[in-house]
Amino acid sequence: MNDLNFRAPKGTRDIFWPDSARHQQLVDVFAEVVGEAGYEQVITPMFENVEVFQRLGDATDVVRKEMYDFQDKSGRHLALRPEQTASVVRAFAEHRPSTPWKAWYTGPNFRYERAQKGRFRQFSQVGVEALGTEDPHLDVEVMALAWHFYERLGLRQVKLELNSLGNKTDRVHFIEALKQHFGKYSNDLSEESKKTLEANPLRVLDSKREQDADLIASAPNMADSLSEDAKKHFLQVQEGLVVLDIPFIVNSKLVRGLDYYVRTAFEFVAESFDAAQNAVGGGGRYDGLVEDLGGPPTPGVGFAIGADRTLLACDAEGVFQESETLVEIFVVDTTGGLSALSLTNELRLAGFRVDRAWENRSMKAQMKAADKSGALVAIIVGEEELVTDTVTLRDLRQSTGQTEIKRETIIETLRKRLR
Ligand code: AMP
């Protein structure tokens, strides 16, 4: 058997502590920020009927090339979710909670992409969806949530880019104008962009290829295709961001990977790393999507933040302190193990993080394990302590020696020392 079969599949990773703890911390901070704004958590299935995702638009790469779809044993055509907006909106359309409905989510998504730094085939997102009102201040609210989330994580070098893609009709006009522009000079476009032009002209604006740069720079401007309504909405969004002191840049070339956005589109870019994958989050308004998924006409706005990339940005900015250790107390017992069993249990129930040595090994071996654990304090039980009903406390970080204390005072003593 080829041992390559026992490696994590291409584009996936095993995340060990302390990275796993940072991942959890990111989700906790996110839950805190969106909880303050009254968003409820929604947990949707990791796979859906493939049609749910096909509603995202056949022209999007995510649907066309990257979907992990399969038939189950009853022949149903299903797909692992490539993103969560479609699932959350499907859940809304199916259950019709009262609006405005504001929900947040977290969890993995799956896309068959070219794997590289910051681009994985399984990656995690946190995000929100807010359904039921066209109020431009809701667009501002969701952007502010993302902004404050990055801020509370400790990131300082994140930039907000903003655009309006107009309403549905504006988009159609704009796409027509792009087709004409790029069509006229299509021989000068990169091979990749020629194909994109066929499938999805808007996405040509997203090309980062040098060869396309001039044609993109001279392309028509979305702002010129905006209807009065869309213009007003866009101005109100900008005004709201100014009131909240959230800096932003209007980028008229900003388009998003998914087709469903109308009016507001935005992206958060990490300036701390120059990888091609520096978009750490993005979102926008998707007023037609609920209807597309079988619900009543309901406007919506939301965003998704890439957890893996945000953590890379945190590393680049040195946001995380040196990791705490997994445990603070380590129990050493050379009398057979029963004391270790009861002491760890007692201390854990009192709220301490505690580990112990196994297999009744020698004092020396157990003390080595105590050092390796990173704990601050070792609690030692030997024959003598057993007889006198005491334990010995040893500071593992400083060589301040050790103290013997009565067993019944242990919790009180440790609270004073460690809390
Ligand atoms: P999207 O759902 O494409 O709008 O992406 C939202 C965010 O998810 C992006 O800004 C990235 O931070 C993250 N993301 C998207 N695709 C990937 C991927 N393949 N690997 C890692 N992060 C991703």
Side-chain angles (χ1 to χ4, degrees):
M1 173 85 58
N2 181 346
D3 67 5
L4 275 176
N5 290 332
F6 299 118
R7 300 219 172 142
K10 188 168 179 188
T12 70
R13 298 170 304 151
D14 302 306
I15 304 175
F16 287 92
W17 186 87
D19 291 331
S20 50
R22 290 172 178 179
H23 193 283
Q24 188 56 44
Q25 193 181 333
L26 178 147
V27 176
D28 290 346
V29 170
F30 189 77
E32 193 178 276
V33 171
V34 295
E36 286 162 7
Y39 285 65
E40 63 177 69
Q41 186 176 9
V42 57
I43 303 172
T44 59
M46 270 192 230
F47 58 88
E48 299 269 354
N49 290 315
V50 74
E51 291 82 6
V52 171
F53 303 121
Q54 280 166 344
R55 288 289 185 280
L56 300 177
D58 288 337
T60 58
D61 282 357
V62 167
V63 176
R64 212 155 46 100
K65 302 191 209 153
E66 297 167 1
M67 207 138 64
Y68 279 93
D69 63 324
F70 58 96
Q71 301 225 317
D72 74 3
K73 294 189 195 303
S74 314
R76 292 184 193 90
H77 193 182
L78 303 168
L80 297 183
R81 64 180 180 214
E83 56 112 59
Q84 292 180 60
T85 301
S87 300
V88 174
V89 170
R90 193 269 311 138
F92 173 85
E94 187 173 333
H95 302 285
R96 317 260 168 120
S98 63
T99 56
W101 185 64
K102 307 201 296 183
W104 73 275
Y105 59 77
T106 179
N109 307 314
F110 309 86
R111 295 183 193 174
Y112 188 75
E113 298 207 71
R114 207 173 307 150
Q116 52 192 284
K117 187 180 177 203
R119 185 174 287 282
F120 308 102
R121 291 183 174 173
Q122 175 176 331
F123 61 97
S124 253
Q125 288 181 334
V126 290
V128 303
E129 312 297 348
L131 291 151
T133 165
E134 294 187 55
D135 193 327
H137 288 169
L138 187 60
D139 308 34
V140 177
E141 172 171 298
V142 301
M143 281 186 264
L145 289 175
W147 184 260
H148 290 132
F149 161 69
Y150 291 124
E151 223 172 44
R152 205 170 296 180
L153 264 187
L155 288 172
R156 294 291 173 267
Q157 296 171 50
V158 175
K159 199 170 65 178
L160 167 59
E161 295 191 359
L162 180 66
N163 194 15
S164 172
L165 301 174
N167 59 31
K168 263 194 173 150
T169 330
D170 303 344
R171 254 178 88 121
V172 172
H173 291 153
F174 184 53
I175 290 173
E176 203 39 57
L178 285 180
K179 262 192 204 157
Q180 284 196 6
H181 170 77
F182 289 121
K184 212 169 0 170
Y185 307 103
S186 66
N187 283 342
D188 298 335
L189 282 175
S190 65
E191 284 309 312
E192 217 18 70
S193 288
K194 270 183 210 157
K195 281 188 215 141
T196 313
L197 181 62
E198 293 281 309
N200 192 347
L202 212 53
R203 293 284 284 166
V204 178
L205 294 178
D206 227 12
S207 161
K208 305 276 185 294
R209 290 176 193 82
E210 186 112 352
Q211 192 183 340
D212 301 323
D214 286 347
L215 273 184
I216 289 175
S218 61
N221 213 328
M222 184 70 225
D224 300 327
S225 298
L226 290 186
S227 55
E228 282 312 310
D229 253 16
K231 243 183 234 168
K232 186 169 165 218
H233 189 96
F234 193 27
L235 284 176
Q236 284 174 308
V237 167
Q238 295 179 54
E239 184 186 58
L241 289 170
V242 171
V243 166
L244 296 188
D245 259 342
I246 295 176
F248 62 92
I249 296 160
V250 173
N251 173 359
S252 62
K253 298 287 188 292
L254 175 74
V255 289
R256 307 265 310 123
L258 299 162
D259 264 355
Y260 48 63
Y261 292 108
V262 288
R263 298 195 268 192
T264 310
F266 56 90
E267 198 150 82
F268 292 94
V269 175
E271 296 180 293
S272 49
F273 60 100
D274 57 12
Q277 319 301 340
N278 61 357
V280 286
R285 191 162 261 291
Y286 45 83
D287 294 343
L289 193 60
V290 180
E291 254 175 300
D292 285 350
L293 286 164
T298 313
V301 57
F303 65 74
I305 287 173
D308 312 81
R309 274 193 215 166
T310 300
L311 289 171
L312 285 174
C314 287
D315 287 342
E317 285 198 37
V319 158
F320 289 110
Q321 313 282 321
E322 187 157 333
S323 306
E324 266 192 50
T325 55
L326 282 171
V327 292
E328 46 195 348
I329 299 165
F330 197 92
V331 178
V332 169
D333 172 7
T334 56
T335 68
L338 276 181
S339 292
L341 194 66
S342 59
L343 269 171
T344 48
N345 190 50
E346 203 179 308
L347 292 170
R348 286 170 188 169
L349 291 177
F352 295 104
R353 290 178 295 124
V354 192
D355 204 358
R356 52 163 292 188
W358 303 100
E359 297 174 356
N360 198 27
R361 297 173 64 198
S362 70
M363 171 68 89
K364 193 170 163 210
Q366 290 196 40
M367 283 312 298
K368 214 166 152 187
D371 279 329
K372 199 170 151 220
S373 75
L376 307 171
V377 175
I379 294 173
I380 304 161
V381 184
E383 293 302 338
E384 206 183 305
E385 283 91 349
L386 206 57
V387 173
T388 54
D389 206 17
T390 57
V391 297
T392 296
L393 242 63
R394 186 183 294 177
D395 197 319
L396 292 170
R397 294 293 169 94
Q398 291 153 3
S399 47
T400 49
Q402 51 188 44
T403 38
E404 204 171 301
I405 59 166
K406 276 287 181 201
R407 195 182 181 302
E408 70 257 23
T409 65
I410 190 166
I411 288 178
E412 190 193 323
T413 312
L414 285 168
R415 280 212 175 107
K416 274 193 207 134
R417 271 225 197 175
L418 300 174
R419 292 287 181 264

